[in-house]
Amino acid sequence: MWRDEVVTYDVSRRDLTVLWRTLGDADAVHGLYYLVMHGLFRWSGDIDPLLVLRVPSVLAMGAAAAGVALIGERLAGPRAGTLAGLVFAVVPSVQRFAQEGRSYAMVCAVVVWATYALTSAVAAQEGRARRAWWLYGALLLVACLLHEFAVLALAAHAVWVPRAARRRWAVASGAVVVAVAPLAVVSERQKAQVDWLYANPWTYAGAGAVCLLGAGCAASLRGRGVGGAPAGALVRLALPLLVVPTTLLLLCAPVKPLFVDRYVLYGMAGLALLLGAVLDRASRGGRGRASVAVVAAGAALAALLPMTLHMRTPAGRLDDATSAAHAIRAAGREGDAVVYLPLRRRVWSLAVPGAADHLRDIALDRSPVASATLYGTEVPAGVIARRMRAEPRIVLVTDPSGGRDEEDAREKVKRALVAERRFETCRAWRGRGARVIVYALPGHC
């Protein structure tokens, strides 16, 4: 597990009353997902918790790939749909979140199937259209309750909806917006959780490059149809699905940076639809062009293989919380003090139940469960300083920066006391994104 998965693991296994209180403090945007996972953990019994954590994402991405294939089939023909589904399955970001215990794979799957329901609603006769519109609205609402940025898919759909269907689309989308508004109000109060986001030029450049790739595919599909079906309908749906949600988040940057690719992961369905249609057209251009298309697809898969393998290692994540938890378990002696710098690194000890039971958490006021928070609450800075000065040995759990960027008074005190007391380093473990160091006064190692 990495740190975000540990949060899922910990929060989802809390009692429902504690879980509900926790959502009032943090992570309301993932509330429905935590409730779903809570039910799965209750049902799963003694099954490996890591399996329970990740299998839903695997199944969700499988469902999303199927939905992409069906959308492609409806708009551009069976071969284009099949190719789009296969392309979707090998997109690196899709592969990553298919193996991660967070909400993004589920959000992606539900948005894809809502998009399919939208194409059904537009094409259906009167009686069936009503049911399809209800299904579209219900699926979009579920997606937004899993993560509220799924609402940006509505803006992408607005570009595609034909004029004759716009009134019904407006009713369905308006109902979704009204229903999700209370969640937006609650999550706005928790916006400090995304204070770590900043306008990273490399991230933004990568998002722009993906959008340009989609635009290039769309430009190449202009003209005659694909597989006997007009290409225009597919392009008008797929390109906005890729570009519009990403662009809207990028435009927020001057006011509040909000863009993270996983927030709009469902945009990869649009890219896959466009690439599938391009491959379909290339394969129909005679034996020579078909051979070139096969070689190009094979080369692309070969180029993606190193990234695919990398994502299946601990180095494919920001940190390795499971290894950090084992390091905490092995650190220190019975009764030694432990300090987390910053306090949110306490989550690492939760990846393995009981990993820190032999240590005394001297900064802790109330545990994550008792306080109904993600990381627990801590005593005032002055109390932390007094307690740290009284300890001959401290196990410090921190990140590679050592908390140098933390401005909270408690974190400053922890950082200053470690340096002030001239500790010796008795033992140190450095893992992926994490450090566990046993400090002691001279003669106490």
Side-chain angles (χ1 to χ4, degrees):
M1 297 185 204
W2 75 291
R3 70 184 72 155
D4 281 10
E5 288 184 299
V6 179
V7 172
T8 299
Y9 175 63
D10 177 57
V11 173
S12 298
R13 295 183 307 120
R14 296 181 183 182
D15 181 84
L16 273 178
T17 56
V18 178
L19 173 54
W20 186 255
R21 288 170 50 215
T22 303
L23 296 178
D25 175 76
D27 263 5
V29 69
H30 297 294
L32 179 58
Y33 173 70
Y34 289 149
L35 290 171
V36 170
M37 295 305 297
H38 173 86
L40 288 175
F41 278 116
R42 289 286 297 272
W43 168 82
S44 62
D46 295 329
I47 298 175
D48 180 357
L50 192 59
L51 191 66
V52 178
L53 191 68
R54 289 180 174 169
V55 161
S57 295
V58 178
L59 297 177
M61 280 306 192
V68 169
L70 288 173
I71 294 169
E73 178 186 20
R74 171 166 284 165
L75 299 180
R79 192 192 310 201
T82 301
L83 289 168
L86 292 172
V87 167
F88 179 81
V90 298
V91 170
S93 57
V94 169
Q95 291 201 26
R96 171 181 171 173
F97 292 103
Q99 52 172 300
E100 187 163 304
R102 294 297 279 170
S103 66
Y104 307 109
M106 286 189 188
V107 175
C108 183
V110 180
V111 169
V112 166
W113 280 94
T115 304
Y116 181 72
L118 176 63
T119 64
S120 299
V122 169
Q125 299 295 326
E126 180 63 29
R128 292 183 178 179
R130 185 177 294 107
R131 291 193 294 272
W133 282 113
W134 274 102
L135 180 60
Y136 169 69
L139 288 173
L140 242 305
L141 177 59
V142 170
C144 292
L145 294 177
L146 286 168
H147 195 285
E148 63 185 11
F149 282 168
V151 75
L152 300 176
L154 288 171
H157 292 161
V159 179
W160 179 80
V161 173
R163 180 174 300 175
R166 284 179 185 170
R167 185 179 66 82
R168 287 188 168 181
W169 173 84
V171 171
S173 59
V176 170
V177 171
V178 169
V180 83
L183 173 61
V185 171
V186 174
S187 62
E188 169 65 19
R189 297 172 187 160
Q190 301 173 0
K191 62 183 179 181
Q193 279 193 273
V194 291
D195 282 348
W196 57 272
L197 286 173
Y198 67 100
N200 187 328
W202 293 107
T203 299
Y204 287 15
V210 171
C211 291
L212 286 175
L213 173 61
C217 291
S220 72
L221 291 169
R222 296 178 62 183
R224 71 181 190 278
V226 179
L234 182 140
V235 170
R236 288 196 302 274
L237 176 65
L239 187 60
L241 189 59
L242 170 64
V243 173
V244 171
T246 295
T247 301
L248 289 174
L249 283 187
L250 291 176
L251 290 175
C252 294
V255 178
K256 172 67 178 175
L258 289 174
F259 178 78
V260 181
D261 58 352
R262 59 183 178 265
Y263 292 170
V264 288
L265 180 63
Y266 51 83
M268 292 300 101
L271 179 64
L273 287 166
L274 292 165
L275 287 170
V278 168
L279 288 172
D280 181 32
R281 173 171 289 187
S283 68
R284 294 175 183 276
R287 184 174 298 177
R289 289 183 63 184
S291 299
V292 171
V294 170
V295 170
L301 287 173
L304 289 174
L305 184 60
M307 186 181 299
T308 296
L309 296 175
H310 175 73
M311 285 189 296
R312 284 161 173 78
T313 69
R317 300 295 184 271
L318 287 175
D319 58 13
D320 181 355
T322 303
S323 294
H326 285 301
I328 294 168
R329 172 177 278 177
R333 304 168 182 167
E334 186 74 31
D336 278 354
V338 62
V339 172
Y340 297 92
L341 176 61
L343 73 88
R344 59 180 176 273
R345 299 298 173 244
R346 187 173 283 109
V347 74
W348 286 334
S349 66
L350 305 176
V352 176
D357 284 357
H358 64 299
L359 303 173
R360 294 179 296 109
D361 192 344
I362 59 174
L364 184 67
D365 180 22
R366 301 176 70 199
S367 70
V369 172
S371 62
T373 60
L374 298 185
Y375 313 116
T377 57
E378 294 192 338
V379 296
V383 178
I384 294 175
R386 185 172 67 251
R387 291 178 180 178
M388 287 184 69
R389 288 193 177 100
E391 296 294 334
R393 291 170 54 91
I394 290 177
V395 177
L396 182 70
V397 180
T398 188
D399 50 35
S401 74
R404 286 192 297 270
D405 298 329
E406 300 297 328
E407 296 300 326
D408 181 81
R410 296 175 177 87
E411 313 302 354
K412 288 181 178 180
V413 161
K414 296 173 193 174
R415 191 167 62 240
L417 262 292
V418 169
E420 174 190 310
R421 300 203 65 204
R422 305 186 187 281
F423 283 117
E424 295 178 351
T425 300
C426 301
R427 184 175 180 180
W429 173 89
R430 181 186 292 269
R432 176 70 180 176
R435 292 165 57 194
V436 179
I437 308 166
V438 180
Y439 287 116
L441 294 177
H444 288 82
C445 272

